[in-house]
Amino acid sequence: MTKPRVNSALIRRINTGRLFHIIRQNAGISQQQLSHVSGIDPATISIIINNLEAAGIVRRVIDAPTGRAGRPTSALSIDARAGYLAGIGIEPDAIRIVLATIDGARCADLIVPGSLDPEAAREAARAGLASALRMVRARRSTLLGVGIALPGLVSLDGQVVFAPNLGWRDLDFAAGLRQSLKCPIRLENDVKAAALAEHLFGASRDITDFVYVMGRSGIGGGLHLMGELYRGPHGLAGEIGHMKIVPGGRLCGCGGHGCFEAYASERAILAELAAQGHPARDVDAVLAACRDGDKTVLAVLAEAGAHLGLGLANLINIMSPRRVVLGGSLARLAPFLLPAAARALDENALAAIRHDVELVVSVMGDHAAPMGGIALALQQFLDDPPVRLGHPRESGRRTK
Amino acid sequence: MTKPRVNSALIRRINTGRLFHIIRQNAGISQQQLSHVSGIDPATISIIINNLEAAGIVRRVIDAPTGRAGRPTSALSIDARAGYLAGIGIEPDAIRIVLATIDGARCADLIVPGSLDPEAAREAARAGLASALRMVRARRSTLLGVGIALPGLVSLDGQVVFAPNLGWRDLDFAAGLRQSLKCPIRLENDVKAAALAEHLFGASRDITDFVYVMGRSGIGGGLHLMGELYRGPHGLAGEIGHMKIVPGGRLCGCGGHGCFEAYASERAILAELAAQGHPARDVDAVLAACRDGDKTVLAVLAEAGAHLGLGLANLINIMSPRRVVLGGSLARLAPFLLPAAARALDENALAAIRHDVELVVSVMGDHAAPMGGIALALQQFLDDPPVRLGHPRESGRRTK
DNA sequence: TGGGTTTATTAAAGAGTAAAAATAATTCGC
DNA sequence: GCGAATTATTTTTACTCTTTAATAAACCCA
């Protein structure tokens, strides 16, 4: 049971974080606007901004004259030179590495072959990260944090509990990297990480309550509630793939029957196509067939879309989020899934609740997992900044 | 969009509230133990306790000698003389009123006939409340807060959006009472309120993440996440009754098919019995038949229990709570529902998640809703105490 | 009286807020 | 054209509030 002390340091950390994100998402904002937006007093802002500037996190540029009277504003922005964050998305067959500045701007992108052997995957990630750093001509000491996102159950303390696709169980994947990289590392389930990225960098920045639904081979979910990721008491909340939508229905990989992901996942769609004798074996082929107007494929997708809508309706009835974000292969297939899904949603979600829910598609694409890693790293960076922010005001007070 | 300022006053409110609840649940605790339990510094505690004592909220009794050396501890407890909280549970046919001291101890209990006319219901509640106050010989000025719990959708600002059982829509039920009672009033959905009561007064005091599932005529839910009630962006989260567990299944009152409450609610059970020609028309009759070993009733309940387990499995798969609490008529029928429900749970919930979830029955009984009202009133009292706590330290500083 | 235990007080450090002051441009008056 | 007034933004100062650590006080028992 964590009980963070409620004290001044916490206040400062919260307010600093809030200002950081506002600046990040509104580059060029002035201190006065910042005060208006955040509700924090201008004096407090002055102090915090000065600290952030001294730490090299925020940059201040005096604006060009506007032509109007008064002292010109200075434009605040996150200083890209502060250092880099790395996001690592681990999949069975590929490891995606993204390097970003601390404002989340992507500046390097890399895919290396994956491995089911943890040690090999770790080494591949490490080597890939080194390459990425070379790509931007950055020294390893400029790496401020690393976030790792992988498909599987991850405990609250970042241990891999079970990752069926990777064949990993009870593994501290980050430990080895932490040693060799000498910088903070966080590890999280890829869908939860992607939800975080959606909140920090995506289209749902101002949405405090949304559900991220990601189709990979199966279906995962991330609950973002009250402005923060909800992990649940064991870190397993949001695993919606095995919600039962058809009692006694199709056999699922989990051993159960009628699971959500046995009907609406990429794997389920491909399996259904195969069962109907269709040659498509991956999402690209499915999309190509759709564009050619392949009736079989369109029918299968409509069917899957209807089940998708049914599952989402349950999710919406329970959580009443403001938005549902679709990611992964669900996002790619969305054009052909959504019509049926929207119908099923209208039919099965309570009207009063359905009315206020948007169903949108993530724009993150394949970057969802590694950008989730960036989000994790950024969160870590703000939770526990390497330079002590908010230190005592320099004692250079002039006396009258 | 609420954005509470993060400042010293907030810290004090949070810490004061924490101490209040610890004292409430551990009457007789000493300041030192309080510090140990809460993690708050003894000095801070000293100040806060002095304020609470001066406000008449906490009482300090110097303990009898313990036989051991040292200054005797003083026992802290919530001062029952501080005043009363009222909880009002509104149902179509009855209004339940509970009076409690601010530590949540029930001291009066009353049921008056209900009404579908808002004005009549309001007047009945007001009159009942006056009677309850007379029962404990208390003046109306000692009433510190009122919480109202009713079956229906309630917006975040306490407006009744839709209460089908009462036939109310878009109604500010509390407004009239607020005028005549001249004390703070909060209004909330009864299941959410009951979940709050379960957290503050029930068996789930130390559980930060649980789901409260209440069977009335339908089925409602309350999500208690991260130590607080989750209302969702519109206050409609947790309305699990219309989760679809059987696609295209039984017609539900909502117009949809296959809803949770069309299979596992009191109304559904009674309807099924009627369809099978059984004479039981209420829960009492059902329970009596069960005790007589009535096969028909037991079979219907087992069937309903299986569907209950199926619905709970979905809830658990999504939320991964630490506990599911059953209340209302589900609690009364629990002995005959649970075996089948537990089986369905084992079958349909992911093992990794199922393993850490308890399924328990609320001990609140019929008091759930009005005690929910008490919980609301207490929360209101602590959020916005009538006497300003944490006032400036008395200026009686002695100088050396 | 002295030892031990618990509570209360005090001083220090840090946070936020409000008001005043400083800063830096433009605009006005001549 | 040039200085003073104006305007808008940021910083400083003064103050309150909070936590925390160190210190003092209160109290019982031996």
Side-chain angles (χ1 to χ4, degrees):
Chain A
M1 181 170 63
T2 58
K3 44 179 159 186
R5 288 199 165 188
V6 181
N7 58 17
S8 317
L10 180 64
I11 296 184
R12 177 50 68 87
R13 215 174 59 227
I14 291 172
N15 282 335
T16 302
R18 267 171 59 172
L19 294 182
F20 180 93
H21 286 302
I22 296 174
I23 295 172
R24 184 173 64 76
Q25 294 175 11
N26 302 276
I29 195 172
S30 74
Q31 291 188 193
Q32 182 173 264
Q33 291 172 304
L34 213 44
S35 168
H36 184 73
V37 172
S38 68
I40 299 172
D41 193 272
T44 306
I45 291 184
S46 178
I47 296 169
I48 293 177
I49 295 301
N50 279 336
N51 288 338
L52 286 174
E53 192 183 17
I57 295 172
V58 158
R59 208 151 60 109
R60 185 193 321 240
V61 177
I62 295 171
D63 281 324
T66 58
R68 293 187 315 143
R71 176 176 176 169
T73 57
S74 30
L76 303 174
S77 57
I78 303 302
D79 194 336
R81 299 165 305 180
Y84 295 95
L85 302 173
I88 302 179
I90 307 233
E91 298 166 40
D93 50 351
I95 297 179
R96 289 171 200 275
I97 295 163
V98 162
L99 223 55
T101 48
I102 56 170
D103 57 350
R106 214 161 48 222
C107 47
D109 225 315
L110 195 64
I111 303 184
V112 299
S115 168
L116 297 182
D117 173 54
E119 193 45 59
R122 200 148 31 202
E123 175 53 26
R126 204 200 51 68
L129 185 47
S131 301
L133 284 167
R134 273 196 301 276
M135 284 167 68
V136 297
R137 292 192 177 71
R139 317 174 52 145
R140 204 161 74 184
S141 61
T142 60
L143 192 59
L144 298 172
V146 176
I148 303 174
L150 56 79
L153 303 181
V154 175
S155 68
L156 287 175
D157 59 347
Q159 307 280 310
V160 178
V161 176
F162 181 42
N165 294 346
L166 293 162
W168 298 353
R169 193 182 283 274
D170 296 320
L171 174 70
D172 189 351
F173 183 78
L177 280 173
R178 204 172 276 122
Q179 279 185 353
S180 63
L181 290 177
K182 295 192 186 73
C183 81
I185 299 184
R186 279 197 185 176
L187 188 143
E188 181 54 277
N189 167 273
D190 57 352
V191 188
K192 289 197 179 66
L196 215 50
E198 199 67 27
H199 171 65
L200 291 180
F201 311 124
S204 303
R205 281 197 283 256
D206 50 343
I207 308 283
T208 53
D209 300 81
F210 68 89
V211 178
Y212 189 92
V213 177
M214 189 178 192
R216 304 166 299 204
S217 51
I219 293 181
L223 309 177
H224 202 94
L225 312 178
M226 298 182 279
E228 59 181 301
L229 187 65
Y230 180 65
R231 293 184 160 87
H234 303 96
L236 306 182
E239 284 299 325
I240 62 173
H242 301 283
M243 166 171 61
K244 300 294 179 290
I245 57 170
V246 180
R250 287 188 198 157
L251 181 64
C252 173
C254 74
H257 286 269
C259 294
F260 190 27
E261 71 176 42
Y263 287 87
S265 68
E266 174 186 329
R267 189 193 290 148
I269 291 168
L270 293 175
E272 184 64 21
L273 284 171
Q276 298 194 13
H278 196 278
R281 286 292 173 271
D282 57 26
V283 173
D284 289 318
V286 170
L287 284 172
C290 285
R291 280 189 222 95
D292 293 345
D294 185 321
K295 289 261 169 61
T296 309
V297 172
L298 289 173
V300 166
L301 286 181
E303 179 71 16
H307 283 107
L308 176 64
L310 178 60
L312 295 183
N314 281 350
L315 206 50
I316 287 170
N317 279 335
I318 294 173
M319 303 303 307
S320 178
R322 199 180 287 282
R323 177 176 284 185
V324 174
V325 182
L326 296 180
S329 45
L330 282 179
R332 298 185 62 199
L333 296 169
F336 308 100
L337 293 170
L338 282 189
R343 266 196 305 279
L345 214 52
D346 292 337
E347 195 171 319
N348 293 294
L350 270 185
I353 295 179
R354 165 74 177 102
H355 184 262
D356 281 318
V357 181
E358 292 175 284
L359 181 55
V360 304
V361 174
S362 169
V363 295
M364 221 57 105
D366 283 343
H367 293 301
M371 281 310 286
I374 298 288
L376 290 169
L378 177 54
Q379 226 180 35
Q380 155 74 40
F381 176 76
L382 290 175
D383 284 352
D384 189 13
V387 287
R388 186 164 138 51
L389 303 178
H391 41 56
R393 197 192 302 214
E394 302 84 293
S395 49
R397 297 189 184 180
R398 346 170 194 173
T399 48
K400 264 188 193 157
Chain B
M1 183 168 63
T2 60
K3 43 180 159 185
R5 287 197 168 190
V6 181
N7 57 18
S8 313
L10 179 65
I11 294 186
R12 173 52 67 90
R13 215 174 59 225
I14 292 173
N15 282 334
T16 301
R18 266 170 61 173
L19 292 183
F20 180 93
H21 286 303
I22 295 175
I23 296 172
R24 184 173 64 75
Q25 294 174 11
N26 302 275
I29 196 172
S30 75
Q31 292 191 191
Q32 184 174 264
Q33 291 172 303
L34 213 44
S35 168
H36 184 73
V37 172
S38 67
I40 299 172
D41 194 89
T44 307
I45 290 182
S46 179
I47 296 168
I48 293 178
I49 296 300
N50 279 338
N51 288 339
L52 287 174
E53 193 183 15
I57 295 172
V58 157
R59 207 151 59 109
R60 186 194 319 241
V61 177
I62 295 173
D63 281 322
T66 57
R68 293 184 314 140
R71 174 175 177 169
T73 58
S74 24
L76 303 174
S77 58
I78 303 302
D79 195 336
R81 300 165 304 182
Y84 294 95
L85 302 173
I88 301 180
I90 307 231
E91 297 167 40
D93 50 350
I95 296 178
R96 290 171 199 275
I97 294 163
V98 162
L99 224 55
T101 49
I102 55 169
D103 58 349
R106 217 164 42 224
C107 47
D109 224 317
L110 194 66
I111 303 184
V112 300
S115 167
L116 295 183
D117 173 54
E119 193 46 58
R122 200 150 28 204
E123 175 53 27
R126 205 201 51 70
L129 186 47
S131 302
L133 284 168
R134 273 195 300 276
M135 285 167 68
V136 297
R137 291 191 178 70
R139 318 173 51 147
R140 204 160 75 183
S141 62
T142 60
L143 192 61
L144 299 171
V146 176
I148 303 176
L150 56 78
L153 303 181
V154 175
S155 67
L156 287 176
D157 59 348
Q159 307 280 313
V160 178
V161 176
F162 182 43
N165 294 346
L166 293 163
W168 299 352
R169 193 182 280 276
D170 296 320
L171 174 70
D172 189 350
F173 183 79
L177 280 173
R178 202 172 278 122
Q179 278 185 354
S180 63
L181 290 178
K182 294 190 186 77
C183 80
I185 300 184
R186 278 197 185 176
L187 187 142
E188 181 55 277
N189 167 272
D190 57 353
V191 187
K192 288 197 180 65
L196 215 50
E198 199 67 26
H199 171 63
L200 290 180
F201 311 124
S204 302
R205 282 196 283 255
D206 51 342
I207 308 283
T208 53
D209 300 82
F210 69 90
V211 178
Y212 188 91
V213 177
M214 190 178 193
R216 303 167 301 204
S217 52
I219 293 181
L223 309 176
H224 202 93
L225 311 178
M226 299 182 278
E228 58 180 303
L229 187 66
Y230 180 66
R231 293 185 160 88
H234 304 96
L236 307 182
E239 285 298 326
I240 62 174
H242 301 283
M243 166 170 61
K244 301 293 178 290
I245 59 171
V246 180
R250 288 188 198 158
L251 181 64
C252 173
C254 74
H257 287 270
C259 294
F260 190 27
E261 71 175 42
Y263 287 87
S265 67
E266 174 186 329
R267 190 191 290 148
I269 291 168
L270 293 175
E272 183 63 23
L273 283 172
Q276 298 194 14
H278 196 279
R281 288 290 172 273
D282 58 26
V283 174
D284 289 317
V286 170
L287 283 172
C290 284
R291 281 190 220 93
D292 294 344
D294 185 320
K295 289 262 169 62
T296 308
V297 172
L298 289 174
V300 166
L301 286 181
E303 180 70 17
H307 281 108
L308 176 65
L310 178 60
L312 295 183
N314 280 351
L315 206 49
I316 288 171
N317 279 336
I318 294 173
M319 303 303 307
S320 179
R322 200 181 286 283
R323 178 177 282 183
V324 174
V325 182
L326 296 180
S329 46
L330 282 180
R332 299 186 62 199
L333 295 169
F336 308 100
L337 293 170
L338 281 190
R343 265 196 305 280
L345 213 51
D346 292 338
E347 195 171 319
N348 292 296
L350 270 186
I353 295 178
R354 165 75 177 103
H355 184 261
D356 281 318
V357 180
E358 292 174 285
L359 182 55
V360 304
V361 174
S362 170
V363 296
M364 219 62 100
D366 284 343
H367 293 301
M371 283 309 287
I374 298 286
L376 289 170
L378 177 54
Q379 226 180 35
Q380 156 73 40
F381 177 76
L382 291 176
D383 282 354
D384 190 12
V387 287
R388 187 165 138 51
L389 302 178
H391 41 57
R393 197 191 302 213
E394 300 84 297
S395 49
R397 298 187 185 182
R398 340 169 198 177
T399 47
K400 262 190 194 154

